[in-house]
Amino acid sequence: MNYPDFVTTNADAFLRSRNIGFEMLATLAREQGFGDAQVLLTSSPVHGIATATSDIDLICVTPQAVSKGQMATQIHRDGQHCEILPIGADDLDCAFADLALLSGCALPQRLAGYQRWDSGHAVRKKYLERIVYAVATDGGAHHLAHLPALVPVAAAQEYDAFHQSRICAMLAERAGEPDAARGYLINACLSAMAAALSLGGWVLSNKKWTLRRWREAANPRMRVVDPLLQDRLTAMWSSVCEPAPAATAREIAALDEIDRRLGFLMGAPSLSGAMPHSAAPCTQAALDKRSAFLIGSDGRARLAA
């Protein structure tokens, strides 16, 4: 998909729907003392999924020094609710440089590095993602050059979440808890959708938009999602959301094909093949957000080392 056209067209349409222009956004930034900043429109407006009640999220990339704990300023103007967050230009340059390095690492390192990202960077990852797709008040999408680095890093996080929910579904089914298994299947399906969207270049970690984006991506003109994943995940979503039947072993087994396809697209056959784990069978373990659940050769669940 042509993402520069995608985000700029969406930004223009959003501003027209609110009867405002880029100049108003620049004025708001100047009034907050960021006249020297690159003012960026971010979040749902540039992704084409904003609603009538969506905020206007602005990021000001400024040469000024910015505290790591800086909070966004809330502004109400002419019926619009705006948030303005300053980010230091030097901090952003460092973040993009580290993202480029991380994107070239193996899957386990990409996953671990992105999970620890916020503790070591002034620019939090949710804002980094927003800036990549942002549209400046001059109408340009100047940071999309960093999208190739963002894609493999963000997709690794969604892939890991898919694996965790997939294996929890297997454990719940074995324990005779079909409703719990179906709940985990729903989570696995949403995480796999997010991973597939990310691999197609459409990264947005906010989970509330996953299903909306998945449906938008079904438009043939979008050409975002791998066709096999589009078909299998759409069918699975319809199946697991049916009110009557509980999750079955057949539905859980269907995740194997999705896992193989995601792994192929990510350049790793599976997390169990990409990350080390102990040889001893283990059917339960404490959840650790920094670890991925894995399936060993004996079909049992383990945590990554």
Side-chain angles (χ1 to χ4, degrees):
M1 186 166 70
N2 185 325
Y3 281 102
D5 284 353
F6 177 69
V7 297
T8 55
T9 298
N10 289 335
D12 289 339
F14 172 79
L15 293 175
R16 285 196 306 271
S17 73
R18 297 292 181 95
N19 295 314
I20 59 177
F22 281 118
E23 181 53 37
M24 174 190 170
L25 307 184
T27 298
L28 291 175
R30 284 196 298 270
E31 291 175 353
Q32 298 301 311
F34 301 116
D36 58 352
Q38 180 188 58
V39 183
L40 303 173
L41 175 64
T42 74
S43 199
S44 58
V46 301
H47 289 282
I49 51 178
T51 68
T53 58
S54 293
D55 296 340
I56 299 176
D57 295 317
L58 302 179
I59 291 178
C60 296
V61 181
T62 173
Q64 304 173 31
V66 177
S67 166
K68 185 176 181 181
Q70 177 73 47
M71 300 290 289
T73 300
Q74 311 291 319
I75 299 175
H76 293 267
R77 177 72 57 84
D78 299 331
Q80 310 292 339
H81 177 219
C82 304
E83 291 188 0
I84 299 181
L85 179 73
I87 285 179
D90 289 344
D91 292 332
L92 184 59
D93 288 343
C94 289
F96 279 140
D98 286 351
L99 182 67
L101 291 174
L102 189 59
S103 69
C105 294
L107 176 60
Q109 287 70 45
R110 293 202 307 270
L111 174 61
Y114 209 45
Q115 287 173 334
R116 293 194 298 262
W117 182 274
D118 288 352
S119 64
H121 294 85
V123 182
R124 294 169 59 190
K125 60 186 178 184
K126 80 171 185 177
Y127 295 123
L128 191 68
E129 293 175 5
R130 291 182 184 182
I131 290 170
V132 168
Y133 293 93
V135 176
T137 51
D138 65 4
H142 304 293
H143 299 289
L144 274 171
H146 301 285
L147 183 56
L150 177 63
V151 163
V153 176
Q157 181 173 248
E158 304 294 355
Y159 187 42
D160 178 62
F162 162 71
H163 261 267
Q164 292 193 28
S165 294
R166 173 194 175 200
I167 297 176
C168 284
M170 293 179 64
L171 296 178
E173 194 269 336
R174 288 175 185 168
E177 298 177 352
D179 289 332
R182 183 164 63 172
Y184 286 121
L185 273 170
I186 289 172
N187 284 339
C189 197
L190 287 170
S191 294
M193 288 175 176
L197 288 164
S198 292
L199 287 168
W202 198 359
V203 176
L204 189 58
S205 294
N206 193 327
K207 297 298 182 290
K208 74 177 183 179
W209 297 118
T210 299
L211 197 56
R212 167 80 180 276
R213 291 189 300 133
W214 186 258
R215 289 169 177 159
E216 295 279 350
N219 187 325
R221 292 175 296 178
M222 295 284 284
R223 290 180 294 177
V224 172
V225 176
D226 174 78
L228 186 147
L229 290 174
Q230 183 82 54
D231 178 72
R232 300 296 191 272
L233 286 168
T234 299
M236 175 167 285
W237 181 256
S238 297
S239 177
V240 299
C241 289
E242 285 293 328
T248 65
R250 178 183 59 81
E251 291 167 321
I252 292 173
L255 292 175
D256 289 345
E257 183 182 21
I258 293 169
D259 176 36
R260 288 193 299 271
R261 186 60 179 170
L262 282 173
F264 171 77
L265 294 173
M266 294 191 65
S270 71
L271 279 179
S272 57
M275 302 179 76
H277 56 78
S278 65
C282 175
T283 57
Q284 57 184 333
L287 284 169
D288 180 346
K289 61 183 285 189
R290 294 168 299 178
S291 300
F293 273 108
L294 310 175
I295 300 177
S297 58
D298 57 2
R300 299 290 183 178
R302 301 182 178 87
L303 284 171

